[in-house]
């Protein structure tokens, strides 16, 4: 079983709530894969919120895709260790 705790922000990732969660977990030596999803640290064109979230991979499909990709990466790493 692979556990991933996704956190989505409607803001940039760096220095935000997800970073705080990561620090909290690290200080307590809690080993969990933290997947931080947020806006890229760059200018984003204007548009409808749902369209912008989808373009940044922050809609439901993008979040599911990111979680599945992270799980596949972790499985690949486990298999390569054996």
């Amino acid at each position: 079983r692979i556990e991933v705790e996704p956190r989505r922000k409607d803001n940039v990732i760096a220095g935000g709530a997800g970073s705080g969660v990561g620090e909290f977990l690290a200080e307590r030596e809690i080993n969990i894969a933290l997947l931080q999803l947020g806006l890229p640290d760059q200018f984003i064109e204007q548009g409808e919120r749902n369209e912008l979230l989808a373009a940044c991979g922050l809609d439901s499909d993008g979040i599911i895709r990111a979680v599945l990709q992270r799980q596949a990466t972790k499985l690949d790493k486990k298999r390569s260790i054996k």
Side-chain angles (χ1 to χ4, degrees):
R1 177 178 176 200
I2 297 175
E3 295 182 15
V4 176
E5 181 66 31
R7 294 281 176 221
R8 184 193 90 173
K9 292 178 55 183
D10 289 355
N11 206 336
V12 295
I13 295 171
S19 297
V21 171
E23 290 172 16
F24 176 87
L25 295 172
E27 288 171 1
R28 287 154 182 80
E29 297 181 4
I30 299 171
N31 189 14
I32 185 172
L34 182 64
L35 175 58
Q36 297 186 60
L37 304 173
L39 297 172
D41 192 14
Q42 63 189 36
F43 178 77
I44 299 174
E45 295 293 330
Q46 293 184 357
E48 293 293 323
R49 182 176 186 275
N50 290 339
E51 292 174 358
L52 296 176
L53 289 175
C56 294
L58 298 176
D59 61 343
S60 58
D61 289 339
I63 293 169
I64 291 168
R65 190 170 35 255
V67 169
L68 292 175
Q69 182 178 11
R70 171 64 67 89
Q71 286 179 325
T73 300
K74 289 185 72 70
L75 282 174
D76 288 344
K77 285 181 181 178
K78 280 187 173 187
R79 288 180 185 140
S80 68
I81 292 172
K82 291 181 179 180

